[in-house]
Amino acid sequence: MSLSIPRRRLLAGALATLPLALALPGCTSKAEPLPFEGNDISGTHLGRDLDMIDTTGQRRTLADYRGKVLLVFFGYTQCPDVCPTAMAQAAQVMQLLGDQARDVRVLMISVDPARDTPDILGAYVQAFDPSFIGLTGTPEQLDKTARSFKAFYAKEPGPSPEHYAMNHSSAFYLLDREGEARALLGPSLTPEDMAHDVKLLM
């Protein structure tokens, strides 16, 4: 199972207040304010400690994607509804971007590294779009990266140790070409809304 309706509503509320919670004194950004459809999180520096392994076995940090606009999502391959819906939306965004899609990277960071091997994760994300990138790693790497994004994830026990679910954040983090977090794109946004926000950073 994925997030229950009450938990989704609770998480959506938490995400809506995230920009305010992170607007600490002295934490300002020189980035120009933009009319995002999502929540503006400029100046929060979320995701700076991204440190995972891609599906080819290469260690990846934000420096590897410098010059590209990023859409970052936390999920897992056995997620029954939230993740496939999100990945399908991201694929639609890429189609809407047309030729501009070459300057965008969609990263899905697995919150279930125990089951999401590089081969499994790679096949999953590329089924939605061949350009999509899956990132996995050790539990320690995931913890460090998720904390950097302030992303939520938690294991939910199932009928057996092997059969469990992962509750997790359901928003995309939009980062600019310099690797700065700029907007939080919640599940209520349409692919058109998301494409609009991506284009603001092109």
Side-chain angles (χ1 to χ4, degrees):
M1 296 178 65
S2 186
L3 289 174
S4 63
I5 296 300
R7 286 180 179 175
R8 286 186 192 174
R9 289 174 179 166
L10 179 61
L11 180 56
L15 289 173
T17 61
L18 182 59
L20 293 177
L22 294 171
L24 300 175
C27 186
T28 59
S29 172
K30 295 180 181 179
E32 178 185 354
L34 296 171
F36 293 117
E37 295 295 334
N39 291 318
D40 192 332
I41 56 173
S42 300
T44 61
H45 310 306
L46 292 180
R48 281 195 167 181
D49 292 331
L50 185 152
D51 183 2
M52 301 295 288
I53 305 296
D54 70 15
T55 55
T56 69
Q58 297 295 309
R59 181 181 177 185
R60 297 297 182 188
T61 67
L62 280 185
D64 293 300
Y65 305 109
R66 194 174 184 86
K68 303 294 183 182
V69 175
L70 301 181
L71 280 170
V72 181
F73 183 81
F74 287 81
Y76 68 115
T77 63
Q78 297 193 40
C79 177
D81 48 22
V82 173
C83 300
T85 298
M87 289 296 101
Q89 282 187 306
Q92 291 180 57
V93 170
M94 297 296 270
Q95 292 179 356
L96 290 169
L97 292 174
D99 291 341
Q100 290 181 303
R102 68 168 67 95
D103 293 321
V104 178
R105 294 292 180 268
V106 175
L107 312 180
M108 177 172 154
I109 298 174
S110 174
V111 296
D112 187 16
R115 294 184 295 190
D116 286 345
T117 65
D119 287 344
I120 290 173
L121 184 59
Y124 180 85
V125 297
Q126 290 175 16
F128 293 95
D129 188 292
S131 71
F132 285 8
I133 298 168
L135 297 176
T136 185
T138 66
E140 292 75 21
Q141 284 178 304
L142 172 59
D143 180 67
K144 175 184 176 183
T145 296
R147 285 177 183 273
S148 182
F149 279 94
K150 297 192 182 299
F152 165 82
Y153 70 98
K155 187 174 182 179
E156 184 173 294
S160 70
E162 298 78 19
H163 295 86
Y164 58 87
M166 296 297 297
N167 288 333
H168 59 89
S169 304
S170 58
F172 280 92
Y173 296 82
L174 177 62
L175 281 67
D176 65 23
R177 295 175 186 268
E178 301 301 316
E180 290 292 336
R182 300 300 304 275
L184 192 68
L185 311 183
S188 64
L189 296 185
T190 66
E192 289 77 14
D193 293 332
M194 295 171 65
H196 167 272
D197 285 4
V198 171
K199 288 179 180 179
L200 291 176
L201 303 179
M202 302 299 281

